[in-house]
PDB file of all heavy atoms in Angstrom:
ATOM      1  N   PHE A 484     121.601 -64.494 -29.860  1.00 65.00           N
ATOM      2  CA  PHE A 484     120.761 -63.325 -29.794  1.00 65.00           C
ATOM      3  C   PHE A 484     121.325 -62.309 -30.649  1.00 65.00           C
ATOM      4  O   PHE A 484     122.166 -61.500 -30.302  1.00 65.00           O
ATOM      5  CB  PHE A 484     120.718 -62.773 -28.296  1.00 65.00           C
ATOM      6  CG  PHE A 484     119.672 -61.777 -28.126  1.00 65.00           C
ATOM      7  CD1 PHE A 484     118.397 -62.177 -27.765  1.00 65.00           C
ATOM      8  CD2 PHE A 484     119.950 -60.458 -28.308  1.00 65.00           C
ATOM      9  CE1 PHE A 484     117.416 -61.223 -27.581  1.00 65.00           C
ATOM     10  CE2 PHE A 484     118.929 -59.512 -28.086  1.00 65.00           C
ATOM     11  CZ  PHE A 484     117.658 -59.922 -27.787  1.00 65.00           C
ATOM     12  N   ASN A 485     120.801 -62.314 -31.947  1.00 63.00           N
ATOM     13  CA  ASN A 485     121.277 -61.265 -32.938  1.00 63.00           C
ATOM     14  C   ASN A 485     120.193 -61.170 -33.948  1.00 63.00           C
ATOM     15  O   ASN A 485     119.265 -62.029 -34.035  1.00 63.00           O
ATOM     16  CB  ASN A 485     122.627 -61.621 -33.538  1.00 63.00           C
ATOM     17  CG  ASN A 485     122.662 -62.967 -34.164  1.00 63.00           C
ATOM     18  OD1 ASN A 485     121.592 -63.511 -34.681  1.00 63.00           O
ATOM     19  ND2 ASN A 485     123.864 -63.558 -34.280  1.00 63.00           N
ATOM     20  N   GLU A 486     120.244 -60.130 -34.690  1.00 62.00           N
ATOM     21  CA  GLU A 486     119.178 -59.862 -35.660  1.00 62.00           C
ATOM     22  C   GLU A 486     119.130 -60.861 -36.735  1.00 62.00           C
ATOM     23  O   GLU A 486     118.048 -61.188 -37.276  1.00 62.00           O
ATOM     24  CB  GLU A 486     119.390 -58.398 -36.188  1.00 62.00           C
ATOM     25  CG  GLU A 486     119.076 -57.367 -35.201  1.00 62.00           C
ATOM     26  CD  GLU A 486     119.126 -55.890 -35.696  1.00 62.00           C
ATOM     27  OE1 GLU A 486     118.769 -55.713 -36.887  1.00 62.00           O
ATOM     28  OE2 GLU A 486     119.477 -55.030 -34.926  1.00 62.00           O
ATOM     29  N   ALA A 487     120.246 -61.518 -37.099  1.00 59.00           N
ATOM     30  CA  ALA A 487     120.273 -62.542 -38.115  1.00 59.00           C
ATOM     31  C   ALA A 487     119.447 -63.770 -37.687  1.00 59.00           C
ATOM     32  O   ALA A 487     118.909 -64.469 -38.507  1.00 59.00           O
ATOM     33  CB  ALA A 487     121.720 -62.976 -38.379  1.00 59.00           C
ATOM     34  N   SER A 488     119.332 -63.952 -36.324  1.00 55.00           N
ATOM     35  CA  SER A 488     118.578 -65.088 -35.807  1.00 55.00           C
ATOM     36  C   SER A 488     117.153 -64.695 -35.553  1.00 55.00           C
ATOM     37  O   SER A 488     116.334 -65.437 -35.047  1.00 55.00           O
ATOM     38  CB  SER A 488     119.189 -65.591 -34.456  1.00 55.00           C
ATOM     39  OG  SER A 488     120.531 -65.949 -34.641  1.00 55.00           O
ATOM     40  N   GLY A 489     116.771 -63.419 -35.929  1.00 55.00           N
ATOM     41  CA  GLY A 489     115.367 -62.966 -35.805  1.00 55.00           C
ATOM     42  C   GLY A 489     115.099 -62.244 -34.477  1.00 55.00           C
ATOM     43  O   GLY A 489     113.977 -61.973 -34.189  1.00 55.00           O
ATOM     44  N   PHE A 490     116.147 -61.947 -33.760  1.00 57.00           N
ATOM     45  CA  PHE A 490     115.938 -61.242 -32.463  1.00 57.00           C
ATOM     46  C   PHE A 490     116.275 -59.760 -32.685  1.00 57.00           C
ATOM     47  O   PHE A 490     117.407 -59.381 -32.995  1.00 57.00           O
ATOM     48  CB  PHE A 490     116.788 -61.828 -31.394  1.00 57.00           C
ATOM     49  CG  PHE A 490     116.454 -63.264 -31.078  1.00 57.00           C
ATOM     50  CD1 PHE A 490     117.347 -64.278 -31.335  1.00 57.00           C
ATOM     51  CD2 PHE A 490     115.236 -63.599 -30.505  1.00 57.00           C
ATOM     52  CE1 PHE A 490     117.046 -65.603 -31.138  1.00 57.00           C
ATOM     53  CE2 PHE A 490     114.973 -64.938 -30.241  1.00 57.00           C
ATOM     54  CZ  PHE A 490     115.851 -65.941 -30.525  1.00 57.00           C
ATOM     55  N   TYR A 491     115.336 -58.889 -32.447  1.00 58.00           N
ATOM     56  CA  TYR A 491     115.458 -57.488 -32.673  1.00 58.00           C
ATOM     57  C   TYR A 491     115.916 -56.835 -31.358  1.00 58.00           C
ATOM     58  O   TYR A 491     115.344 -57.106 -30.328  1.00 58.00           O
ATOM     59  CB  TYR A 491     114.195 -56.825 -33.177  1.00 58.00           C
ATOM     60  CG  TYR A 491     114.291 -55.316 -33.312  1.00 58.00           C
ATOM     61  CD1 TYR A 491     115.059 -54.782 -34.374  1.00 58.00           C
ATOM     62  CD2 TYR A 491     113.683 -54.469 -32.502  1.00 58.00           C
ATOM     63  CE1 TYR A 491     115.178 -53.506 -34.524  1.00 58.00           C
ATOM     64  CE2 TYR A 491     113.769 -53.110 -32.552  1.00 58.00           C
ATOM     65  CZ  TYR A 491     114.591 -52.586 -33.616  1.00 58.00           C
ATOM     66  OH  TYR A 491     114.690 -51.249 -33.773  1.00 58.00           O
ATOM     67  N   THR A 492     116.941 -56.018 -31.444  1.00 67.00           N
ATOM     68  CA  THR A 492     117.409 -55.326 -30.294  1.00 67.00           C
ATOM     69  C   THR A 492     117.700 -53.840 -30.589  1.00 67.00           C
ATOM     70  O   THR A 492     118.088 -53.508 -31.698  1.00 67.00           O
ATOM     71  CB  THR A 492     118.717 -55.961 -29.664  1.00 67.00           C
ATOM     72  OG1 THR A 492     119.054 -55.306 -28.482  1.00 67.00           O
ATOM     73  CG2 THR A 492     119.859 -55.973 -30.623  1.00 67.00           C
ATOM     74  N   THR A 493     117.307 -53.010 -29.668  1.00 69.00           N
ATOM     75  CA  THR A 493     117.514 -51.549 -29.865  1.00 69.00           C
ATOM     76  C   THR A 493     118.799 -51.106 -29.155  1.00 69.00           C
ATOM     77  O   THR A 493     119.303 -51.797 -28.259  1.00 69.00           O
ATOM     78  CB  THR A 493     116.353 -50.718 -29.281  1.00 69.00           C
ATOM     79  OG1 THR A 493     116.281 -50.965 -27.916  1.00 69.00           O
ATOM     80  CG2 THR A 493     114.985 -51.162 -29.904  1.00 69.00           C
TER      81      THR A 493
END
Side-chain angles (χ1 to χ4, degrees):
F484 192 88
N485 56 29
E486 291 184 31
S488 302
F490 299 111
Y491 177 70
T492 183
T493 62

